[in-house]
Amino acid sequence: MVLCSNILNAVGWPYWVFFLLSLIMICCVFYLRERHIRQTSTKEISRQQQLVYLEMHAFQAQMDPHFIFNSLNAIHHYILTTSTDLASLYLTRFARLMRLIIRNCNREWVNLEEDIEALELYLQLEQLRFGTQFDYELEVTPDVFQQLTFVPPLIIQPYIQEAIWRRLLLRPTKTGGCLRIRISREDEMISVRIEDNGINQGPPAEDTHLSQGITIATARLEAINEQYNMRSGITERELYNEMQQPSGHLVIISMQQMASREAVM
């Protein structure tokens, strides 16, 4: 107190000026702190709203009316021309896929086993429709613990759908298409490798349903990266044979592994 009094006497300030300046400084500190809290809260609310918006549109992209109509039409064709048992099998798979999509659309994380089940059901239904136009292989390496590994739903399927519709079905021979999906673990990352031998048709139109699905999947992955401070990304490249001729397309989706305890919090 004596030191403050000596300082005030030295500069010629009365006590009330000192206390007024102190009060102003304290008010400024509290104001800046409150503004920072409000900005942080607003940013978090905006991020959550963006994620909900993207999840809703991802669900809409998955519930493609053309896919639903064509799948039911193919099942109806089996009922009339082939086998009711086979038609019943595919109808059961279709119902299971719809249930998984609807259930997962409101979940930020699902275990990898459920996501792979939805992928296989989707691939089986597409193969029902297109027969010998393409075959697929889906491999999960033993070091990936499917029930304990959590991933964002509705991320992988748009890229598989794009590979089928934009490349494999456009092969001139209409046979021999091959789609390989390999899910492996690389340190703390889950790597999803999607390779096809389809025909590259150049950059897609931005207003198509498939493009919207890809755009939404990429945006959701970026939003999840920001929210959880994760390292995830998507890379694509064309494949060439020994003659340097285009031979296919490769997509690699890398997602940081989410432990089960963290995913359910």
Side-chain angles (χ1 to χ4, degrees):
M1 192 69 179
V2 175
L3 178 60
C4 291
S5 178
N6 292 335
I7 294 174
L8 291 174
N9 291 332
V11 297
W13 285 2
Y15 278 102
W16 68 269
V17 175
F18 173 76
F19 287 115
L20 180 61
L21 291 175
S22 299
L23 181 61
I24 292 173
M25 290 180 62
I26 293 172
C27 290
C28 287
V29 169
F30 275 99
Y31 169 76
L32 292 174
R33 179 176 177 272
E34 288 298 320
R35 188 176 70 170
H36 175 71
I37 293 174
R38 285 197 302 269
Q39 289 177 343
T40 303
S41 178
T42 302
K43 184 177 180 181
E44 181 62 26
I45 292 173
S46 176
R47 184 185 299 132
Q48 290 292 341
Q49 289 176 340
Q50 179 192 23
L51 200 54
V52 170
Y53 171 83
L54 291 171
E55 288 172 355
M56 179 184 68
H57 280 73
F59 170 68
Q60 292 176 348
Q62 297 299 96
M63 297 292 286
D64 180 10
H66 296 290
F67 169 72
I68 294 174
F69 174 80
N70 291 330
S71 296
L72 291 175
N73 194 41
I75 293 170
H76 181 253
H77 176 75
Y78 266 78
I79 293 174
L80 295 179
T81 61
T82 310
S83 166
T84 55
D85 291 337
L86 191 59
S88 176
L89 172 64
Y90 279 107
L91 185 60
T92 302
R93 291 174 177 174
F94 176 80
R96 174 64 178 167
L97 176 59
M98 293 298 103
R99 190 172 76 169
L100 282 174
I101 291 176
I102 294 172
R103 184 178 68 182
N104 292 343
C105 72
N106 293 322
R107 299 165 65 183
E108 196 169 8
W109 301 93
V110 297
N111 66 45
L112 187 60
E113 185 178 46
E114 291 181 350
D115 209 43
I116 290 174
E117 181 185 2
L119 290 176
E120 285 215 82
L121 290 169
Y122 170 76
L123 287 165
Q124 290 167 0
L125 288 168
E126 291 290 55
Q127 221 176 24
L128 165 66
R129 294 168 57 192
F130 300 114
T132 59
Q133 290 196 47
F134 78 93
D135 289 319
Y136 74 89
E137 300 174 7
L138 178 55
E139 176 192 3
V140 183
T141 58
D143 57 347
V144 177
F145 303 103
Q146 299 183 35
Q147 294 183 342
L148 301 179
T149 300
F150 283 73
V151 297
L154 311 178
I155 293 289
I156 304 173
Q157 184 175 333
Y159 291 91
I160 294 177
Q161 190 175 10
E162 183 186 47
I164 294 173
W165 279 88
R166 283 224 179 95
R167 291 187 289 273
L168 292 175
L169 297 182
L170 298 179
R171 289 171 54 87
T173 59
K174 300 300 180 182
T175 58
C178 184
L179 176 65
R180 295 187 179 91
I181 306 158
R182 187 175 189 271
I183 302 176
S184 59
R185 180 178 177 180
E186 299 177 2
D187 298 326
E188 295 181 355
M189 306 291 287
I190 296 297
S191 176
V192 182
R193 182 184 177 96
I194 304 170
E195 181 179 345
D196 67 78
N197 64 344
I199 302 300
N200 181 20
Q201 295 296 308
E206 293 298 327
D207 58 348
T208 65
H209 177 82
L210 293 176
S211 296
Q212 292 175 358
I214 295 294
T215 301
I216 292 169
T218 304
R220 286 183 63 233
L221 202 56
E222 291 174 353
I224 290 172
N225 279 346
E226 183 179 357
Q227 180 173 355
Y228 292 96
N229 194 26
M230 294 176 58
R231 295 177 291 107
S232 302
I234 300 170
T235 58
E236 299 186 52
R237 71 171 185 266
E238 298 299 324
L239 301 178
Y240 298 89
N241 58 21
E242 296 81 359
M243 305 295 294
Q244 295 302 309
Q245 297 173 335
S247 61
H249 191 82
L250 175 65
V251 177
I252 299 177
I253 305 173
S254 299
M255 296 181 286
Q256 187 170 347
Q257 182 174 350
M258 175 66 71
S260 58
R261 182 178 61 84
E262 296 170 321
V264 298
M265 290 179 61

